[in-house]
Amino acid sequence: MSKVLSGLASLAIFVTVPALAEEAAHRQLGPHVHGQGTLDIAIDGKKIEMELVSPGMDIVGFEHVASTDDQKAAVEKAKAKLADVLTVFKLPAAAKCKAEAANVENRKETHKPGEKDDDDDDKPGAPQHSEFHATYTISCEAPENVTGLETVYFTNFAGAQLLNVNITSPKGQTQAQMTRDKPTVDLTGVM
Ligand SMILES: [Zn+2]
């Protein structure tokens, strides 16, 4: 019995490891998961750099090229909301932060080699993915007071369910998640 179990266990390991590697490659190249975005936060002294990547589905509810006036307006409105970084991602007032730069793009995701990529690709409704990609530079006069972050991202963007948060500071790296139910991240001890 135990031999069978350990046999199964090693089989499971054998199967799982390549699957994980494949999943990692898939994440870099292939379609994202709708509902899930990524927020990278790098804190260094008074400077905070943030990078947000979100599926178009999460932000505007579609990923094809905007064709109607309504769709184009929705994309522009979303970009404007995302550009206002300190409204979307609130830092403590005591930290006295201000946005130095914000850049928001709506990018078409590159398809994997071999994936369907025919002439219909640019037509509205064609199966493809797009993402909103935002980069921010923030400076804080009192970075020691950056003890947390609160977001209205989920209130603003109806399709968003989860943000995977990666935090890098001189003290090291840590991960967290923000969700509709918990739109906050604790940054105590990160500075
Ligand atoms: Zn997608």
Side-chain angles (χ1 to χ4, degrees):
M1 181 64 179
S2 68
K3 258 193 179 169
V4 172
L5 281 179
S6 73
L8 281 177
S10 48
L11 178 66
I13 288 163
F14 180 75
V15 170
T16 302
V17 172
L20 278 177
E22 196 181 307
E23 193 187 330
H26 186 74
R27 250 184 229 149
Q28 278 183 342
L29 298 171
H32 44 231
V33 178
H34 292 164
Q36 299 190 12
T38 304
L39 179 67
D40 293 331
I41 306 174
I43 304 170
D44 188 12
K46 294 186 172 186
K47 199 163 125 184
I48 301 177
E49 303 268 11
M50 300 208 292
E51 184 171 359
L52 174 75
V53 179
S54 305
M57 200 59 82
D58 296 24
I59 303 297
V60 289
F62 61 87
E63 298 197 354
H64 56 74
V65 176
S67 58
T68 68
D69 287 346
D70 279 357
Q71 288 166 354
K72 287 173 186 167
V75 168
E76 289 313 309
K77 196 175 159 192
K79 283 166 88 170
K81 275 187 182 173
L82 288 170
D84 189 5
V85 56
L86 293 178
T87 300
V88 180
F89 300 107
K90 281 189 181 62
L91 293 164
K96 296 182 179 167
C97 300
K98 64 176 181 194
E100 301 280 358
N103 182 55
V104 185
E105 292 172 15
N106 188 13
R107 289 183 181 171
K108 232 174 96 171
E109 193 176 87
T110 312
H111 283 213
K112 284 188 290 182
E115 205 172 314
K116 182 174 173 287
D117 191 16
D118 57 26
D119 295 337
D120 291 337
D121 213 35
D122 285 333
K123 290 183 186 166
Q128 63 179 28
H129 291 269
S130 72
E131 295 177 333
F132 283 80
H133 184 257
T135 53
Y136 309 107
T137 304
I138 296 158
S139 68
C140 302
E141 277 181 51
E144 66 276 12
N145 292 328
V146 177
T147 51
L149 184 152
E150 185 177 355
T151 190
V152 295
Y153 176 80
F154 302 102
T155 312
N156 281 353
F157 306 114
Q161 303 298 331
L162 171 74
L163 274 180
N164 287 304
V165 186
N166 303 303
I167 305 147
T168 306
S169 78
K171 289 192 177 173
Q173 293 194 343
T174 176
Q175 272 93 43
Q177 289 189 331
M178 290 193 286
T179 62
R180 246 164 218 287
D181 291 338
K182 191 186 82 70
T184 58
V185 61
D186 184 6
L187 296 173
T188 312
V190 166
M191 299 302 288

